[in-house]
Amino acid sequence: MGKNLGQTSGHSFGNVLTVAQDGAFVGIDLGDNYPRVVNMHSFDQDGISSRLVYAVKTEHGSKQSNPAGKPFGAYPEISGNGKTFCKWSNDNRTYAELGGVIATSGGLSVIFAGEPDPNGNALQNGRADVTSSTPALSGWSRSNAISSMAAIRC
């Protein structure tokens, strides 16, 4: 190991690593916490650049206190139909899967599958309802520049 560039995602539930045309490593990972996203990274011996590609949803708790006993209030924006959700989550499921990352001279392409919310919004991270069966969303994101990873579109 030449240099430790630090952690990319807490609880990484999947990752893909490849080499870009400029020799830098390019990867994606799927974290369930800190942050709860599909992350894209470009790194070499000089440092790392990371960008959010897709925020995965979470199932919020339905009790006023989390498992550690810390109290949290209700989350009225996502509560309804007789169910009250609170502003905490301990959800390790990511409701997404990684496909791959492709580095080309034109940028990076990230392929993944995610699950939209009940309204069909793929990038909504407000609520996960594990009792409903919703179709998976095929995702594709492209960055125009490997070095800056700017202009990511989903």
Side-chain angles (χ1 to χ4, degrees):
M1 180 172 80
K3 189 175 194 179
N4 183 347
L5 299 174
Q7 178 177 323
T8 56
S9 290
H11 296 158
S12 179
F13 279 83
N15 51 69
V16 176
L17 184 65
T18 190
V19 179
Q21 292 177 345
D22 65 0
F25 287 101
V26 176
I28 54 175
D29 64 15
L30 177 61
D32 80 325
N33 206 353
Y34 303 111
R36 187 176 175 80
V37 298
V38 174
N39 274 310
M40 179 171 56
H41 314 283
S42 176
F43 58 96
D44 58 21
Q45 68 276 6
D46 296 325
I48 186 168
S49 178
S50 300
R51 296 289 183 265
L52 159 75
V53 174
Y54 177 79
V56 297
K57 64 186 184 176
T58 189
E59 180 179 26
H60 287 266
S62 58
K63 297 179 181 173
Q64 293 291 319
S65 297
N66 69 6
K70 183 176 178 182
F72 288 85
Y75 200 161
E77 296 88 349
I78 65 170
S79 298
N81 297 327
K83 182 100 175 176
T84 301
F85 291 98
C86 298
K87 294 184 178 181
W88 66 270
S89 176
N90 192 30
D91 189 1
N92 289 118
R93 295 163 295 196
T94 59
Y95 312 95
E97 291 185 40
L98 298 180
V101 59
I102 302 166
T104 68
S105 60
L108 299 171
S109 292
V110 176
I111 296 94
F112 59 92
E115 185 181 34
D117 72 2
N119 298 319
N121 298 315
L123 298 177
Q124 164 54 271
N125 194 25
R127 175 176 173 239
D129 183 356
V130 297
T131 61
S132 69
S133 59
T134 55
L137 165 85
S138 294
W140 176 80
S141 178
R142 181 171 182 272
S143 171
N144 292 332
I146 292 173
S147 60
S148 68
M149 289 192 284
I152 297 172
R153 295 183 295 276
C154 291

